[in-house]
Amino acid sequence: MNTTPAASEFGTLKTLRTVILASGIMSLIFGIVVLVWPVKSAMAVTIVIAVYAILAGLMSLVNGIRSKGVGGWTRAGLVVLGLVFLAAGIVAFGNLGESTLLLAVFVTTFIGAAWIIDGVVSLFSLGVKDRALPGATKAHKGWSIFYGIISVLAGVFVVISPLMSALWLWIFLGASLVAMGIIGIVRGASLDA
């Protein structure tokens, strides 16, 4: 077995190239799927979450029923948690379209709320004298104000119109995956292995 530095480096480059190419190809494929079939791909994400909920529910139920040496309230809590997860998964499968819309609105609303909070925190940090925070120095103050205002406005827009925002975020995700996939493929192919 040859363990010279050149052979080891060649093996590492070959592995790295394979990983980057595979990642780029997967990203490109997922991006195309999201862009060509936005509703079906969003439903596929909902299906994955519903399957997770059912599996987590079954595991919690089994854990609650079979646990020995655990208090009764803990076991009851695990059983109730399992039933809630199971119900959520079954309802999601039974109403896949509505569950997908609800998931999109829910996630997008939280993103909007996070942007609002981030903007408010940015604006309130302007008066703090700690140089570790952006906005504490004169050079960063203008950028922090700009960032805070844009973040609050974007967050308010997303919260006011979560479904439209979810659609645009989904399209942006698909386009980003396509771009990253193409760049990853070119990057991986250009490695000398």
Side-chain angles (χ1 to χ4, degrees), residues 1 3 5 12 16 32 42 44 47 52 57 108-109 121 123 166 172-173:
M1 182 169 156
T3 58
T12 302
L16 183 60
I32 290 170
I47 289 170
Y52 164 79
T108 306
T109 301
V121 168
L123 293 171
F172 179 74
L173 173 69

Side-chain angles (χ1 to χ4, degrees), residues 112 115-116 119-120 123 146-160:
W115 286 351
I116 292 169
V120 169
L123 293 171
F146 180 67
Y147 176 85
I149 291 170
I150 293 297
S151 185
V152 168
L153 290 175
V156 167
F157 175 77
V158 168
V159 169
I160 289 173

